[in-house]
Amino acid sequence: MQAIISAAELASESKGQNPPVLLDIRWQLTLAAAAGSPPFDGRAAYEAGHIPGAVYVDLDTALAGPAGDGGRHPLPDLDVFTQAMRAAGVRADRPVVVYDGGQGWAAARAWWLLRWAGHPSVRVLDGGLAAWPGELSTETPAPDPGDFTPRPDSIPALTADQAAALAREGLLLDARAGERYRGEVEPIDRVGGHIPGAVSAPTTENVTPDGRFLPTPQLTARFQSLGAFDAPKVGVYCGSGVSGAHEVLALAVAGIEASLYVGSWSDWSSDESRPVATGPNP
């Protein structure tokens, strides 16, 4: 399965007989609201300029349910997700390409969710909007309604108990920054630290400074050093199931299938009965 696409490949395929449906998923994790500042506005960024033909999809409302039970970005209501995908023109017989502003996290969340829902061909634009060499458009397209019918659990999503078991019996990677894994800082959730047995593997180390994924041999070497090729199963979590999806994508580029704990640390840490480990070791 090809998981990413270059800007040159996207430009070529967009001129073909079966061009991909293009989704703009610009989003940023921000603490601005807590500081009294306005949060990042993905739709405004989209309206200011996007890849021609792209349709904007809001991560917080279409690709996640309301924060609460299950974490800050739990799985979305299936009807809401279905309607958003159909409104964007997503069909089972057309490939989908997703992109964001360049970090790749939001695009990876859309990629993972569409795969979880059974879409057969979804790729992420490597490097995001910043990698696009062509002109941008301010026109909002009106695509024909899609016919995509989700098949939930086409790839597995981990529960908290399954993530804990995987940390003992396989390999569970923590995609957050190392200082959050170690419990030195925790800017969002109730408590800092990590799931006991999980291995620190910040997803920021999977990309170059311009946001593109490392060459496949380098990703392969990284995940080999973390034990991913020797583990019977591999899983990933992060803060709320967004940057973790980016690590699942990086693993896919390296040829490794991994499961995502969607609730991630925001779900795990919300239950005071669950154990918390701190420090650099699993």
Side-chain angles (χ1 to χ4, degrees), residues 186 189-192 239 261 264-272 274 276:
E186 181 44 62
D189 294 311
R190 183 185 65 84
V191 64
Y261 174 21
S264 287
W265 189 248
S266 62
D267 175 55
W268 181 273
S269 64
S270 68
D271 186 339
E272 296 184 12
R274 295 189 182 118
V276 172

Side-chain angles (χ1 to χ4, degrees), residues 110-135:
W111 168 84
W112 182 86
L113 192 56
L114 278 163
R115 291 183 66 234
W116 172 83
H119 197 285
S121 178
V122 191
R123 289 164 293 172
V124 171
L125 175 59
D126 194 20
L129 183 66
W132 180 250
E135 294 184 358

Side-chain angles (χ1 to χ4, degrees), residues 160-172 195-198 232-233 268 275 282:
D161 288 343
Q162 290 169 334
L166 189 55
R168 297 189 302 267
E169 302 162 5
L171 177 65
L172 182 65
I195 297 174
K233 291 184 179 180
W268 181 273

Side-chain angles (χ1 to χ4, degrees), residues 97-254:
V97 172
V98 294
Y99 73 90
D100 58 25
Q103 188 179 41
W105 296 4
R109 170 70 178 218
W111 168 84
W112 182 86
L113 192 56
L114 278 163
R115 291 183 66 234
W116 172 83
H119 197 285
S121 178
V122 191
R123 289 164 293 172
V124 171
L125 175 59
D126 194 20
L129 183 66
W132 180 250
E135 294 184 358
L136 301 181
S137 172
T138 56
E139 296 183 6
T140 301
D144 293 334
D147 63 358
F148 180 56
T149 300
R151 292 181 287 107
D153 299 315
S154 292
I155 58 172
L158 298 172
T159 64
D161 288 343
Q162 290 169 334
L166 189 55
R168 297 189 302 267
E169 302 162 5
L171 177 65
L172 182 65
L173 299 177
D174 185 318
R176 298 173 301 159
E179 58 268 25
R180 291 185 71 191
Y181 170 88
R182 296 187 296 270
E184 296 167 359
V185 298
E186 181 44 62
I188 305 173
D189 294 311
R190 183 185 65 84
V191 64
H194 58 270
I195 297 174
V199 174
S200 179
T203 199
T204 53
E205 297 179 13
N206 294 318
V207 296
T208 61
D210 65 0
R212 289 180 171 88
F213 279 106
L214 296 172
T216 301
Q218 289 182 240
L219 282 177
T220 300
R222 183 185 190 220
F223 290 125
Q224 189 167 37
S225 71
L226 291 167
F229 286 92
D230 299 321
K233 291 184 179 180
V234 178
V236 179
Y237 76 96
C238 57
S240 65
V242 179
S243 66
H246 187 266
E247 184 123 290
V248 173
L249 175 59
L251 284 156
V253 173

